[in-house]
Amino acid sequence: MVAQTRSLSPSTEPRAAAAAFVAVVVFAGAWALLHVGFYTRSQIIDTPVYQRYGNAIARGQVPYRDFSVEYPPGALPMFALPGLAEPGHDQNVTVGFRHGFETLMWLCGAAALLAMAVALSSLGAGQRHVWGAVAFAALAPLALGSVVLSRFDLWPAALVAGALAALVAGWLRLGSGLLGLSIAVKLFPAMLVPLALAYVWRREGRREALVCAGVLAAVLVIVFAPFVALSPGGVWHSLSVQLTRPLQIESLGSALLIAAHHVWGYGITMETSHGSQNLAGGAPQALAVAQTVLQAAALLAVWVAFATGPPTRAALVRASAAALVVFVALGKVLSPQFLIWLIPIVPLVRGRRGLWASGLLAIALVLTQLWFPFRYWDLATHFDPTTSWLVLGRDLVLLALASVLAIPWGADNEHTI
């Protein structure tokens, strides 16, 4: 068990609160800019799918039993609430649904900024770190582009930020519950469970870790149980579809195969399945397996390194950022919206490592916007050379970001233990 040796400076909390308030205002301005100019061109949106779900729920149909849903049950409120506001009668996005959905996403983004402020305050971050981190997150949508408007990923991202903020603030059971809820929305936060439980165990002991694990599991059961009871096959189908996806065209493995196609004339074939464009054939299948194995090994290394190192708050933040980036960079699926998950977490990392990490994430965001959505179909249908190299560049930057966060190169600088 680890004891705290230094309390936070009395000026830390007001400083973080002021930064959060300003960041929310800046975020509102950035959100408004996403609706004008070149941000509005050639958009590729998922909101028609969400509206279809919302329409069905508004008609009284039960998700998973009466219609298929490709996301876990925790995502349903983001579809149902705008759907109740304006159900619509076709596959097109109505104005009311779009406005309702975007309002929910803006609120999630603002909540993530507030969670960042709580985390930074608990970390005892200096003024430059506090203001720099929240400013980065507030302006990041302009770097990534319009994808943030039409994906629900700000919802799980806000929950993950809230869970991490609660854990570093000492609200261990609340943090565990929020982490469980985030997993019920989208599965990726499960990568943080070993880190969270190891952190609680080493700071507060086995009993508290077991309690936190129980809280996390209870939240998952509460969210999943009604739908599993009504349609176990439907819920399993929604999960299995995500877990069995092929090598998506934007992943690192696909980017390397497309590069080989341009340099050496290697033959590749695109096919559409699982709601995305993927590479088909023996080599892509083998690469998908290899990436999954490498991803699992890298995640295990991050978990073990944290579990055997000092269980400080700063170490938990860095390890959490590393685990998320490893999961994204080495996954066999790498959609542009996955970068949303990283925006509220990576800037929390302190010191020179944090500056390098935030800089690399900024580059990855911009590189993504240079081709998505404007040149996506050039990549998917024609393997456009310019777009192909941009995708490969983005994927390699993410790999470098994972290395910066995961590889030990100096102790995490934190004043409390």
Side-chain angles (χ1 to χ4, degrees), residues 3 10 13 31 45 64 142 155 176 224 251 271 311 324 332 349 358 372 374:
E13 292 184 14
W31 196 264
I45 60 176
Y64 309 105
L142 296 179
W155 170 224
S176 300
F224 272 90
S251 66
E271 69 173 10
L324 290 178
K332 60 183 178 179
V349 179
S358 294
F372 188 90
F374 314 109

Side-chain angles (χ1 to χ4, degrees), residues 3-346:
Q4 182 171 308
T5 61
R6 178 182 179 274
S7 61
L8 297 178
S9 168
S11 64
T12 302
E13 292 184 14
R15 181 169 59 222
F21 175 79
V22 174
V24 169
V25 174
V26 172
F27 179 62
W31 196 264
L33 288 175
L34 291 175
H35 293 81
V36 298
F38 75 94
Y39 287 112
T40 63
R41 293 190 291 110
S42 306
Q43 291 187 0
I44 299 175
I45 60 176
D46 280 1
T47 38
V49 176
Y50 303 161
Q51 172 136 19
R52 188 161 65 246
Y53 297 154
N55 289 349
I57 294 171
R59 291 193 297 267
Q61 294 182 311
V62 177
Y64 309 105
R65 187 192 69 181
D66 301 329
F67 63 95
S68 297
V69 181
E70 62 176 298
Y71 305 110
L76 294 176
M78 298 300 106
F79 316 141
L81 294 176
L84 292 173
E86 185 172 348
H89 303 287
D90 54 35
Q91 304 304 321
N92 297 319
V93 183
T94 61
V95 173
F97 184 92
R98 179 171 61 84
H99 286 171
F101 178 79
E102 290 183 5
T103 298
L104 288 175
M105 290 304 100
W106 185 88
L107 290 172
C108 289
L113 290 170
L114 297 177
M116 290 180 68
V118 172
L120 290 163
S121 178
S122 299
L123 289 166
Q127 184 173 354
R128 284 185 296 179
H129 185 196
V130 170
W131 284 90
V134 295
F136 178 98
L139 293 170
L142 296 179
L144 182 56
S146 62
V147 66
V148 300
L149 298 175
S150 61
R151 307 297 192 277
F152 74 93
D153 292 81
L154 278 170
W155 170 224
L159 289 172
V160 169
L164 190 57
L167 288 169
V168 298
W171 308 321
L172 304 179
R173 298 179 187 182
L174 174 61
S176 300
L178 289 173
L179 185 56
L181 181 57
S182 67
I183 297 169
V185 174
K186 215 163 187 178
L187 301 179
F188 75 89
M191 306 306 113
L192 304 186
V193 171
L195 301 174
L197 295 182
Y199 176 78
V200 176
W201 189 310
R202 298 193 64 202
R203 290 181 72 96
E204 301 295 335
R206 181 179 65 178
R207 182 180 182 279
E208 184 63 22
L210 291 175
V211 170
C212 287
V215 171
L216 190 155
V219 171
L220 284 171
V221 169
I222 290 170
V223 176
F224 272 90
F227 300 99
V228 172
L230 291 169
S231 179
V235 174
W236 172 247
H237 175 73
S238 71
L239 299 177
S240 63
V241 165
Q242 298 298 320
L243 297 174
T244 59
R245 293 179 65 175
L247 192 69
Q248 193 242 5
I249 201 167
E250 303 163 47
S251 66
L252 177 61
S254 288
L256 291 172
L257 288 176
I258 295 172
H261 168 74
H262 291 304
V263 175
W264 298 296
Y266 180 79
I268 52 177
T269 302
M270 188 278 286
E271 69 173 10
T272 298
S273 66
H274 295 74
S276 64
Q277 286 65 52
N278 318 293
L279 292 188
Q285 290 176 1
L287 264 180
V289 173
Q291 276 194 225
T292 301
V293 172
L294 181 60
Q295 180 191 56
L299 283 169
L300 182 61
V302 171
W303 297 338
V304 170
F306 174 75
T308 56
T312 64
R313 297 167 176 175
L316 175 64
V317 167
R318 180 182 65 81
S320 298
L324 290 178
V325 177
V326 163
F327 181 77
V328 170
L330 296 178
K332 60 183 178 179
V333 178
L334 206 177
S335 297
Q337 62 265 29
F338 290 6
L339 273 67
I340 296 172
W341 309 343
L342 310 180
I343 290 172
I345 306 302
V346 170

